[in-house]
Amino acid sequence: MRADARDNRARIMTAADDVFGRSPGASTDDVAKLAGVGIATVFRHFATKTELLEAVLTLRLERLRDRALELAGGDDPGTAFFEFFTQVVSESASKLAIGEALTASGVAAGEEARTAGRGMREAFDSLLTAAQKSGAVRADAGFGEVYALLIGASRGATAANLDPETRDRMLSLLYDGLKPRL
C-alpha cells in the first residue's frame, strides 16, 4: 500500500472510531468529512459501512489486548488488573455503540474481530491470574465469573449513563468483592 493510501486508511479508522463511538447511526459521509477524505476514498478501503464498523471494533479490541499485555509487564499485578478493568468499563459506552451498530446491520462480528476478542480475553485472563497469585484478587474467583462482572459492569455503566464519579464508586464496591477475604 502506498504511503498516502496508508495515511488515508489511518485517518479513516481514527475518524470512524470517533464518529461511530459517539453515534453508531452516523454515516460513512460523517466519517469521510472528519477524516478529510472523499466518500469514494472511504469505500476504496472499506467496501461497506459494516466492513468499516468491524475494522473499528477489531482495532478497539486489539488496543485493549495490547493495553492488558502492557500492564501485565508491570511490577504490581493487582494494580494492573484493576486499572485494566477500570479502563474497559470507562471506555465501554463507545465500544458497545460500535458493536451494537454492527449487530443492527444484521452481521455478526467476523473472524478478525472474533480473533481480537479472544486475544483480549486471554490477556485479561493473564492479568487475573497474576493478580490472584499476588494475593490482590480472590483465588476462588474464576475467569468466567470475573469476565461476566466485567461485561455486566460495562453494560450497566453504559445503560445507566453513569457519571465518572458514580461509575468509580460502583467499581470500588465491585472490587471490594473481588479482593481476598481477611
Side-chain angles (χ1 to χ4, degrees):
M1 190 180 291
R2 293 184 343 235
D4 61 332
R6 272 193 314 273
D7 291 344
N8 284 342
R9 184 179 178 89
R11 286 200 322 271
I12 291 165
M13 289 292 293
T14 299
D17 187 34
D18 182 42
V19 168
F20 295 138
R22 283 185 284 114
S23 177
S27 70
T28 49
D29 283 326
D30 297 327
V31 172
K33 286 176 189 167
L34 184 60
V37 299
I39 191 67
T41 301
V42 173
F43 286 119
R44 228 181 342 272
H45 289 277
F46 303 96
T48 64
K49 178 181 177 180
T50 300
E51 190 178 308
L52 178 56
L53 283 164
E54 184 172 356
V56 171
L57 180 62
T58 299
L59 179 64
R60 283 194 170 220
L61 292 167
E62 289 171 343
R63 284 181 188 156
L64 286 172
R65 176 206 60 214
D66 293 347
R67 179 65 178 146
L69 293 172
E70 176 188 324
L71 288 167
D75 294 335
D76 186 347
T79 298
F81 171 80
F82 290 115
E83 185 176 322
F84 182 75
F85 200 115
T86 299
Q87 179 179 343
V88 171
V89 173
S90 298
E91 296 176 2
S92 65
S94 59
K95 182 182 141 312
L96 289 171
I98 292 166
E100 288 168 6
L102 187 58
T103 301
S105 72
V107 176
E111 186 56 35
E112 286 185 23
R114 287 193 305 272
T115 299
R118 277 191 303 275
M120 192 277 294
R121 285 188 302 279
E122 289 168 3
F124 179 67
D125 189 24
S126 295
L127 285 175
L128 172 62
T129 300
Q132 288 173 318
K133 286 180 181 177
S134 77
V137 173
R138 304 165 50 147
D140 65 336
F143 173 77
E145 296 128 11
V146 177
Y147 193 69
L149 287 171
L150 177 67
I151 292 168
S154 295
R155 289 194 175 276
T158 299
N161 196 25
L162 296 181
D163 61 84
E165 183 179 328
T166 305
R167 180 201 63 224
D168 291 346
R169 285 184 27 243
M170 174 204 61
L171 288 173
S172 178
L173 292 169
L174 188 148
Y175 295 163
D176 283 346
L178 285 173
K179 291 179 181 167
R181 298 178 215 182
L182 300 176

